[in-house]
Amino acid sequence: YNRGLWGGLETERATSVMKSFSYFTGGHGQDGRCFFKTSNGSKMAVESNLSTWENDNVRQPTLNAGCEYFDAYHLTEEFSTVPDDEHKIVFWDSVHYQPWVYEELNQMLLNILCNTQ
């Protein structure tokens, strides 16, 4: 779900979307797994309190649907405090990261996917 394009995911829509993802991926005890990846911790996300929004409106419907909640915000929150003179080391623009950050987030997700216990 691209919050930047479509706005905040309301609880009712999150319930519907995550149930569909679970069904599509073969969730609920069928060997499939689905995830909701939270927004990243950019300065704009921190200022708009996006983490609380997603936790309050999306987390429980995600878990209820049998999907998992990948909290990328928690992993990247400290990047919101990068000084302006170092901003381009971490960020491509005001909200998107440099490729190396996405590589690390992808590695974390792969670690989760490969650990089935």
Side-chain angles (χ1 to χ4, degrees), residues 15 18-34 60-68:
T15 300
M18 296 315 296
K19 281 182 182 177
S20 295
F21 285 160
S22 180
Y23 176 77
F24 179 74
T25 60
H28 278 297
Q30 299 180 37
D31 293 341
R33 293 170 76 185
C34 56
Q60 199 56 54
T62 298
L63 299 175
N64 289 347
C67 298
E68 298 172 61

Side-chain angles (χ1 to χ4, degrees), residues 56-89:
D56 291 350
N57 293 281
V58 182
R59 187 172 192 275
Q60 199 56 54
T62 298
L63 299 175
N64 289 347
C67 298
E68 298 172 61
Y69 191 80
F70 179 60
D71 195 350
Y73 181 91
H74 175 75
L75 297 172
T76 59
E77 181 178 14
E78 288 188 36
F79 287 149
S80 68
T81 64
V82 170
D84 289 341
D85 62 331
E86 297 177 17
H87 192 264
K88 287 292 181 189
I89 296 170

Side-chain angles (χ1 to χ4, degrees), residues 82-99:
V82 170
D84 289 341
D85 62 331
E86 297 177 17
H87 192 264
K88 287 292 181 189
I89 296 170
V90 176
F91 289 95
W92 182 262
D93 58 20
S94 62
V95 295
H96 299 99
Y97 293 115
Q98 293 286 354

